[in-house]
Amino acid sequence: MCNVVAAVLLVFAATLGFSQVPAAPAPIAPQMAITFDDLPAHGPLPPGESRIEIATKIIAALHEARVPATYGFVNGLRTQEQPADSAVLQAWHDAGNPLGDHSWSHMNLNQHSLEEFEADVNRNQPLLMQLMKDKNEDWHWFRFPFLAEGDTPEKRAGIRKFLAQRGYKIAAVTMSFGDYQWNEPYARCKSKGDDKAIALLQSSFLSAAEDSISYYREMSRALYGRDIPYVLLMHIGALDAEMMPPLLSLYQSKGFRFVTLAQAESDDFYGIDTDPSLGPGADMLEGLMAERRLALPAHTPPNVEFDAMCR
């Protein structure tokens, strides 16, 4: 009799939409903070295009995809070389996007002394202070040019001490597909009107981005059993601007939720970056995989002869 009653109750519960089996939790969406290097100018310009037009396209695409405040990392020397390009920085800031430090001249720390590099960073600060003058605006995020953090232990320790003393946090990179490689051949192919080559550049750009998603997510899961919030490295280049809408759609189709740099780097993974006083150590997924002697995931770099295209 008890079994009959139980069966009746189960049927009754099912008709009301109840189940004995708890619903599986919704998968957690991977998070991504998008960042841009080399403001106000990266790579050659295609014919008839200006720096402010490139920036405007990128800003519009970010807004359309509802990407939150996006850091652009500044090389102040470019505004001295081409004063009109200062409009890029103002437009970026006026759109609600913050600016960070990428050194004055895009100096490679591995090729210069610590003292030279520190002077170059210091020279960039007045421009950032002028643009990010509201007391709530934080320009104390630093992105190493060439991602070069020093070729000796002394340099690595010294620059981290320098950054810590000045209240900087390091803008890490945990997802990249080398987008900068496409901008120069794109400008050449535009000048020649080679539509077939341009189509190849556009398709390979998206293919490389898609490949990088699996590559970095597999490393994160191998290391931590989860997706860390990723920090994507992009550049303010001509093809970047053209491809920004489909690129953002690609990330959305893969389930990514866009967050700010500060939100991404609040994850424990980035502790060594948000507190440079902790001292140097591996802060990129590839470096940590090497430290733990784990094999890198299968990875297919773009099969494009960038240097030979449209010569």
Side-chain angles (χ1 to χ4, degrees):
M1 181 69 180
C2 291
N3 289 338
V4 173
V5 172
V8 170
L9 289 174
L10 282 173
V11 172
F12 179 69
T15 63
L16 294 180
F18 298 114
S19 172
Q20 283 185 309
V21 180
I28 299 174
Q31 297 180 0
M32 171 188 288
I34 303 176
T35 62
F36 286 83
D37 279 10
D38 299 356
L39 274 69
H42 171 81
L45 285 170
E49 196 156 3
S50 67
R51 297 295 179 190
I52 190 63
E53 287 171 338
I54 288 172
T56 299
K57 288 178 186 177
I58 292 175
I59 291 168
L62 295 172
H63 177 75
E64 181 67 22
R66 298 185 179 182
V67 179
T70 302
Y71 266 90
F73 291 93
V74 176
N75 302 123
L77 175 62
R78 309 302 173 227
T79 65
Q80 180 176 294
E81 294 172 336
Q82 296 289 338
D85 290 347
S86 296
V88 169
L89 304 182
Q90 195 63 56
W92 192 267
H93 179 265
D94 290 349
N97 295 312
L99 298 164
D101 200 334
H102 200 35
S103 86
W104 173 257
S105 67
H106 204 270
M107 182 178 287
N108 188 332
L109 175 56
N110 292 359
Q111 299 173 359
H112 290 265
S113 70
L114 182 60
E115 293 74 21
E116 288 172 325
F117 190 81
E118 290 175 352
D120 203 62
V121 174
N122 283 333
R123 190 173 180 185
N124 216 31
Q125 292 178 355
L127 176 61
L128 292 167
M129 293 172 66
Q130 175 188 343
L131 290 161
M132 297 274 287
K133 54 191 174 184
D134 189 286
K135 65 180 180 180
N136 295 319
E137 295 180 315
D138 185 10
W139 54 267
H140 288 88
W141 283 91
F142 187 80
R143 168 70 52 72
F144 283 98
F146 306 100
L147 303 183
E149 300 190 22
D151 55 338
T152 66
E154 292 77 17
K155 279 187 187 178
R156 289 177 66 84
I159 193 57
R160 292 182 68 86
K161 180 179 179 182
F162 169 87
L163 294 173
Q165 288 173 341
R166 286 154 181 78
Y168 277 104
K169 300 171 287 292
I170 297 168
V173 175
T174 46
M175 188 172 289
S176 171
F177 59 95
D179 66 297
Y180 66 91
Q181 300 171 94
W182 276 262
N183 289 306
E184 187 172 341
Y186 174 69
R188 291 197 305 268
C189 294
K190 286 287 284 186
S191 68
K192 289 180 178 286
D194 191 334
D195 292 338
K196 183 177 180 180
I198 291 170
L200 173 60
L201 288 169
Q202 292 172 333
S203 62
S204 60
F205 185 95
L206 290 177
S207 294
E210 185 168 11
D211 176 68
S212 74
I213 294 171
S214 300
Y215 180 64
Y216 286 102
R217 292 189 74 184
E218 284 184 38
M219 282 193 284
S220 179
R221 290 164 178 170
L223 289 164
Y224 302 106
R226 66 181 178 95
D227 281 297
I228 63 167
Y230 302 95
V231 178
L232 175 69
L233 169 62
M234 299 293 296
H235 294 77
I236 192 165
L239 187 61
D240 288 298
E242 289 297 322
M243 298 303 296
M244 197 53 50
L247 179 67
L248 294 174
S249 294
L250 170 65
Y251 290 128
Q252 289 172 324
S253 74
K254 298 296 184 180
F256 280 94
R257 182 167 69 88
F258 300 126
V259 297
T260 66
L261 177 62
Q263 287 173 324
E265 294 209 21
S266 66
D267 189 90
D268 289 345
F269 170 84
Y270 296 99
I272 195 172
D273 296 304
T274 54
D275 184 4
S277 68
L278 293 176
D283 60 353
M284 297 178 70
L285 292 172
E286 293 94 334
L288 287 166
M289 292 286 284
E291 274 192 359
R292 301 184 188 182
R293 299 182 179 180
L294 296 174
L296 293 176
H299 185 40
T300 307
N303 185 23
V304 180
E305 296 183 4
F306 295 111
D307 291 339
M309 292 189 71
C310 299
R311 291 291 186 183

